Amino acid sequence: MRFRNSWFINRKLHFDEDFAKGRGREEIMWILNSVFRHHLGSKIDSFRLYFNHDGMESKAESWIRKSVKKGVEELDLDFRQGKEPFQIVSDLIDVESIRVLKLSFCELHLPLKPKDLCSLNTLVLRKMSASEGLIQTVFANCLLLENLELLHCSKVFHLKISTGKLKRFRELKVVDCSDLSSIHISAPTLRSFFYHGYFSKLSFNGSLPQLKDVILCCPPARSCLEMVRTRNLLLNLVHVACLTVSSTFLEGLSQKYEKGDLRAMQFSLGNMKELHLIMDATSFCNPHDISSFIRNCPCIEKVFIDLNNFSFGCGYYWEFHAKKKFQEDSQPLKFEFLKYVKLKGFKFERPELELVRLFLEKAIILENLALITPKTRHMQFGHVDAQFIGRNQGGKCRDISAIYRVSGGVDTIFHEEKSEGRYFCKYRQNIDDVSAIYRF
């Protein structure tokens, strides 16, 4: 009874997608009308709405105006259920209280000089038109803006991020904007950049000394132009400390024939501490591509590789060229600062074992190596796996045992995701020796 009527003064009114599940539009309308009619609080911190506005635009607008009237700071409006975008006029959201604005399937109309959007620090536009003029209006007038996200937006042809007088702009996220052909970034305070989509012409005006965290997820670079763009992009990542890329990105950096000679790109990411590599099932990345990239990150400390749904189809190129090059380049190689390696989706394939061997032999201060098998793996770990891998070697898994002989004091953990079991194998003991395996 004590909290029965507490919603009368609730400051967080969240009628989002989770709330809408299992409820019809009439029921949702009745609930929202009741809440706003009986709301006694003088302040609303956040208002989230997931609603089919077709034929009910005025009703949705009235709820928004009521929340704005009570000084709403976070406004999240999702109209993806509708047939046409929800029209948002400037006076509906041009208020000083709004700090976080998230719009989905809307058409936003802002004047060249909005009066009261001065407090806005986060803007998320999803599945809507985001013209260059709209973006420039935001940058010119929202001087406290810190985060900008463009998700599945249209009419974004040439994205120009010029922060100008903005001193707090930190994060930029661009995901699957199909019309996008170029991105130009001039943002000295940018710290985090996330890009997902086809390779676009990406250029940076000046250095980005604060850019530390970059995530790049792109389809395979097939054309020469896309490969050149990949290489040019790398030159702007010299200050990055944490990088997440797909294997297609490494593919664009692999050795290429230039004037009849096979040459590798020369670069160095001296500030890189952490690498997250997502292996794309459509790429032709091989162990040599991976080792070549890590070799150019002299201060790397952590490496995470997601192998799920990926299998090294190395083929003739690997067997007759890259494998030999991989072995030759590995001889003088040392990962002097590498402490932690994690391979997710580890299937005990020979190229994967080659990578594990490389890390154990060349990471001179390696502390932990985690190998996580796929969820869909039906084979029980242990004795069976050892016989399977070593079936051509009389049932003995010489490759695995060799790995443990060079592992020194490294803790090597096998994690079976399906059963959530963790396995630790003692140093210098063969993996097909059941007594060497402990479960905890």
Side-chain angles (χ1 to χ4, degrees), residues 358-395:
L358 176 71
F359 289 129
L360 288 173
E361 289 181 345
K362 304 302 180 179
I364 56 179
I365 62 170
L366 187 66
E367 297 175 0
N368 293 282
L369 169 67
L371 307 177
I372 303 176
T373 59
K375 291 181 180 180
T376 57
R377 199 163 169 271
H378 299 296
M379 197 174 308
Q380 186 178 1
F381 178 83
H383 181 69
V384 177
D385 274 341
Q387 288 186 336
F388 174 74
I389 301 167
R391 61 186 182 277
N392 295 324
Q393 302 176 8

Side-chain angles (χ1 to χ4, degrees), residues 212-215 240-245 269-277 293-294 297-305 337-340:
K212 305 300 181 183
D213 189 5
V214 174
I215 301 176
V240 174
C242 180
L243 178 65
T244 300
V245 294
L269 299 178
N271 290 327
M272 182 80 68
K273 305 292 184 186
E274 191 170 313
L275 172 66
H276 296 252
L277 178 59
F293 185 83
I294 298 177
C297 306
C299 297
I300 193 77
E301 297 177 2
K302 297 180 181 179
V303 173
F304 303 88
I305 303 178
F337 299 96
L338 187 59
K339 298 179 181 179
Y340 185 85

Side-chain angles (χ1 to χ4, degrees), residues 406-418:
V406 300
S407 64
V410 179
D411 288 346
T412 306
I413 297 175
F414 291 86
H415 179 194
E416 178 74 50
E417 286 189 341
K418 187 175 181 180

